[in-house]
Amino acid sequence: MANSFSRIPRAWWLAIPLLSILYFSSLSTAGMLGPDEPRYASIGREMARSGDWITPRLWGAPWFEKPALLYWMTGAAFKLGLSEDLAPRIPVALLSVILLVFFQWVLSREFGALAAWTATLMLGTSAAWLGCSFIGATDLPMAAAFSAAMLLSLDWIETGARRWLPLAAALLGVAVLAKGLVPLVLALPLLWCGRRRWRDLLRLPVVGAFLIVAMPWYLLCYLRNGGSFLRTFFWEQHFERFTTESLAHGQPFWFYAPVLAAALMPWTPALLLLARRALYRDARRRFLLLWMLFVLVFFSISKNKLPGYLLPLAPAAAALMGIALAEALAEAKGARWVLPASALCLMAIPAALPILPQALAAGLSRAPLPAFQWTWLLPVALALGVYWLERQGRRAAALAIMAVAVTAGVLALKRTDLPAIDQAYSARPLWREIAARRDRVCIQNMHRSWRYGLNYYSVTPLPDCSQSPQPLHVQQEPGYAPQVRAPEPRRTAP
């Protein structure tokens, strides 16, 4: 036992507790959020209850917006006895941490320990990766499986070695089970960077591994549901989602420029290091750059845009930033500004604390401007300390302090904002208010985000007041949480 512990790299003694705190704390402090998370959780719970693991069903009706991977993960968690708030989230958080460990292992093998640990720190503490790891949605499972497949291809890109290609193909099949055909399109940089040996991708072990993983569910779902599955899943959720604004997520072409800057916080300043041409001296680094840019351009062209769509580029961006920073820091005075600048970006956390619940509930434009607090200056002191460590040549210590600072900031956000977010953006408190008298409640009017959440907690959806009037009505004013009220008596003419 002692020998096995001695073989664990020292960095993991810091990384393991930080990952546990960042990814597994406070997962049930807020209830299901937004319109998607409660729907996905409801489908997974129904699969566990009914034993039908093929046809996704949302409150009794077939629902073909997404493939089955997330539902299987959630359903398995329900089978293991996890609660209604943990079952949808624990599997996603666990998959995220597994990808981070795998990410560090691959990059260490390809680019060295310093680049690997720097990149893993950046990815694991970036806003987008952390945020999506907290929510039981399809973005993180797809991004994790897709990224693992792309990372396993680095050896083939550089040397032509084919040993990892079948496993990479199987992981790409997992990504297709997470979010449809999108990962296949996003993997096109493999064809470009490996164009001289593209036939390797068509070898039977590679194609067979992909088909064995990806095809059975699609085939079984089609055989059970016929043309409605094909029409909804492939035409509406792929072609129309990309080419039209019919799904009400239309955004301008430049939408993802600020999203990318926010997604990589607090490490956004390190993006400037990617402008160095000397960074791309081998095929693996050019592949990482093409992977990142292709995801960015592809989703920028799409008519429908959501911030989570960019998540598959985060591992490529973090890998390049980690490599660039590790090489720059190896120089006597190279890039000493990056870590202090990243520390200053942590000012976004105390600034966001007072406005985040309202921004989620009613939109950022309706959230009040925060009043200045002295805590905003803590990142300035952190930046000065990090710069001093840089001057002393103690770069590992500077990175470790940044990791601890991000963890502290995230913990403060969870402790301060998650209870408020639960009240302002989740239907769980509303359900707790009406659970004991549900047979006397109907829905007068409610935004779909709240309606889906309430349906999840009530299991059987509450009726509309127009169809089944009850003594108590749930009503919602725009920008406010729903309230339970007795209906106003009708006025009769004198």
Side-chain angles (χ1 to χ4, degrees):
M1 180 69 71
N3 290 335
S4 64
F5 277 120
S6 66
R7 289 195 296 268
I8 299 176
R10 286 185 298 172
W12 281 112
W13 294 110
L14 175 64
I16 289 173
L18 292 184
L19 288 173
S20 300
I21 293 171
L22 282 172
Y23 286 87
F24 297 107
S25 66
S26 305
L27 283 179
S28 61
T29 302
M32 297 290 103
L33 303 175
D36 291 333
E37 190 179 26
R39 284 188 293 180
Y40 300 154
S42 296
I43 294 169
R45 181 176 60 191
E46 176 61 20
M47 282 188 168
R49 186 199 65 79
S50 67
D52 181 1
W53 299 89
I54 302 301
T55 301
R57 296 185 184 278
L58 182 64
W59 302 303
W63 196 76
F64 301 126
E65 185 174 312
K66 295 293 187 294
L69 178 65
L70 179 66
Y71 313 142
W72 292 341
M73 293 165 58
T74 303
F78 273 111
K79 283 288 190 181
L80 291 174
L82 295 183
S83 70
E84 58 190 0
D85 293 311
L86 289 179
R89 291 174 175 166
I90 285 285
V92 174
L94 183 61
L95 183 60
S96 177
V97 171
I98 291 172
L99 187 278
L100 290 173
V101 176
F102 179 79
F103 182 76
Q104 190 277 333
W105 175 73
V106 172
L107 293 189
S108 182
R109 187 189 66 191
E110 298 288 341
F111 303 107
L114 179 58
W117 280 109
T118 305
T120 305
L121 170 64
M122 289 178 162
L123 178 61
T125 57
S126 63
W129 198 264
L130 267 173
C132 290
S133 299
F134 181 82
I135 302 298
T138 56
D139 298 303
L140 192 286
M142 189 277 274
F146 168 77
S147 299
M150 299 290 269
L151 290 166
L152 279 179
S153 305
L154 286 171
D155 193 23
W156 175 72
I157 293 292
E158 178 70 10
T159 67
R162 299 192 296 258
R163 58 177 178 167
W164 295 111
L165 286 184
L167 181 55
L171 287 167
L172 191 60
V174 174
V176 169
L177 283 173
K179 214 168 183 180
L181 302 182
V182 171
L184 289 178
V185 178
L186 299 183
L188 287 177
L190 276 174
L191 291 178
W192 176 257
C193 293
R195 57 191 180 277
R196 295 181 180 178
R197 52 180 87 95
W198 61 270
R199 290 181 178 84
D200 291 344
L201 301 177
L202 301 180
R203 292 168 59 88
L204 181 59
V206 178
V207 175
F210 172 80
L211 293 177
I212 288 171
V213 173
M215 280 299 294
W217 177 79
Y218 284 92
L219 181 60
L220 290 173
C221 196
Y222 166 69
L223 291 176
R224 287 195 181 183
N225 299 281
S228 62
F229 168 65
L230 298 180
R231 182 180 63 257
T232 302
F233 185 81
F234 291 103
W235 179 259
E236 295 178 7
Q237 297 300 323
H238 283 76
F239 181 78
E240 288 190 357
R241 182 179 286 269
F242 187 82
T243 60
T244 73
E245 298 181 5
S246 59
L247 299 179
H249 299 309
Q251 298 290 349
F253 179 83
W254 51 263
F255 173 75
Y256 284 121
V259 170
L260 177 62
L264 298 177
M265 290 285 282
W267 308 104
T268 309
L271 279 175
L272 298 177
L273 297 176
L274 305 192
R276 300 174 60 187
R277 291 188 62 184
L279 179 65
Y280 308 105
R281 59 179 177 267
D282 66 55
R284 296 168 301 172
R285 301 168 189 226
R286 293 190 291 272
F287 169 66
L288 290 170
L289 178 65
L290 184 58
W291 165 6
M292 182 183 78
L293 294 179
F294 185 79
V295 174
L296 179 63
V297 172
F298 175 78
F299 285 118
S300 295
I301 294 172
S302 174
K303 294 295 185 181
N304 287 278
K305 299 178 178 69
L306 289 172
Y309 291 175
L310 276 197
L311 195 63
L313 67 71
L320 284 174
M321 292 191 298
I323 295 166
L325 184 59
E327 292 184 348
L329 293 180
E331 304 171 5
K333 297 181 180 180
R336 286 180 175 172
W337 56 271
V338 173
L339 293 183
S342 299
L344 289 176
C345 289
L346 289 175
M347 294 178 70
I349 293 179
L353 288 177
I355 67 172
L356 185 58
Q358 184 63 25
L360 287 174
L364 184 60
S365 61
R366 296 185 180 182
L369 292 176
F372 177 80
Q373 302 287 335
W374 70 268
T375 53
W376 293 20
L377 299 179
L378 290 177
V380 177
L382 175 66
L384 293 174
V386 167
Y387 181 72
W388 180 82
L389 289 171
E390 285 281 1
R391 292 290 299 268
Q392 300 299 312
R394 301 174 65 183
R395 285 145 185 169
L399 284 167
I401 287 178
M402 282 291 297
V404 172
V406 172
T407 303
V410 172
L411 280 178
L413 189 149
K414 287 184 175 183
R415 181 174 181 178
T416 302
D417 277 8
L418 284 182
I421 290 172
D422 186 47
Q423 293 293 326
Y425 195 51
S426 171
R428 187 175 65 177
L430 175 66
W431 169 244
R432 289 173 175 173
E433 178 185 351
I434 64 178
R437 44 182 178 166
R438 62 167 299 163
D439 56 339
R440 302 176 61 236
V441 178
C442 63
I443 307 299
Q444 180 69 37
N445 61 288
M446 185 187 298
H447 189 273
R448 67 178 190 133
S449 298
W450 290 84
R451 186 66 182 267
Y452 293 143
L454 186 59
N455 287 351
Y456 173 68
Y457 287 107
S458 65
V459 183
T460 301
L462 298 178
D464 290 332
C465 295
S466 60
Q467 300 174 349
S468 179
Q470 301 295 333
L472 298 175
H473 291 192
V474 178
Q475 303 179 41
Q476 183 177 18
E477 300 295 332
Y480 295 91
Q483 295 183 343
V484 182
R485 300 172 179 172
E488 295 183 3
R490 294 182 179 181
R491 295 182 179 181
T492 57

